[in-house]
Amino acid sequence: MTPVSSAAAAAVSAPLAGVPYVRLATEADEAFIEELQAVAFGPGRFARTAFRVRERFPIDKSLSLVAEVDGTACGSVWMTPISVGGINGYLLGPLATHPNYRKRGAGKLLAREVTSMALARGEGKFVLLVGDRDYYCPLGWEPTTLGNIQFPGPVDPSRVLLFAEDKSLATTLAGPIAGWQG
């Protein structure tokens, strides 16, 4: 076997130019994430029901990711541990991509990666979100049974989507969103 030079190894592990990649968020990213969410969701973001959930239950910072393109941060996603009907899972979001970087796949990459990381832990059984079916269903999310999951405020029940290895959870999971059951 021929040894690989350090330059070749770096080239193999380096992100491709113009292609988004993800990394764990750090404290240094907090200002970027706050500004990004303001740009993406506007001042009304704090009134959204999903933000009410995040106010009640802490975000898991080890499941906070940032997307970059060519070394520039362009997107972010958070996960909040929750439970529904006594089953532990996660609420995905907010997921945001800066308008200058949309349509490059950063948002979908963030959604896939953070979901994979969360479920690989084996502690939560699902990832829940409120979002567009056209965007998330091709990534594996499924509509839930209308009205089965109760949020602490109004949501459009047709936008409540779930990702789980157990495909029956999308139709059977029911109850109010509560804190992680420990």
Side-chain angles (χ1 to χ4, degrees):
M1 185 163 159
T2 307
V4 176
S5 72
S6 60
V12 169
S13 64
L16 298 173
V19 176
Y21 63 95
V22 297
R23 63 172 173 77
L24 289 173
T26 66
E27 287 186 27
D29 293 311
E30 289 178 11
F32 160 74
I33 293 169
E34 183 63 34
E35 183 179 318
L36 176 62
Q37 290 177 9
V39 168
F41 303 111
R45 68 190 181 279
F46 300 111
R48 291 180 176 206
T49 297
F51 275 86
R52 291 185 198 156
V53 172
R54 291 180 207 104
E55 287 174 346
R56 294 173 58 195
F57 310 112
I59 292 163
D60 183 337
K61 290 191 177 194
S62 71
L63 293 172
S64 179
L65 303 180
V66 167
E68 291 187 356
V69 171
D70 298 332
T72 300
C74 65
S76 72
V77 67
W78 288 342
M79 284 285 220
T80 302
I82 60 168
S83 69
V84 175
I87 300 172
N88 288 338
Y90 301 91
L91 178 67
L92 184 147
L95 170 66
T97 303
H98 192 279
N100 294 346
Y101 291 90
R102 291 193 179 140
K103 306 290 185 197
R104 293 189 186 198
K108 291 177 181 176
L109 182 61
L110 284 164
R112 285 185 188 121
E113 186 65 24
V114 77
T115 297
S116 176
M117 288 172 60
L119 294 179
R121 293 178 173 184
E123 300 167 340
K125 300 289 184 197
F126 63 88
V127 174
L128 184 71
L129 60 81
V130 179
D132 295 328
R133 287 183 183 200
D134 290 346
Y135 188 86
Y136 290 102
C137 289
L139 302 176
W141 271 265
E142 300 177 66
T144 59
T145 300
L146 297 178
N148 266 12
I149 300 171
Q150 290 96 46
F151 284 77
V155 296
D156 177 348
S158 70
R159 293 173 46 87
V160 179
L161 307 174
L162 187 124
F163 186 101
E165 295 297 321
D166 177 355
K167 298 302 178 190
S168 71
L169 274 182
T171 57
T172 60
L173 191 66
I177 291 180
W180 193 267
Q181 302 295 305

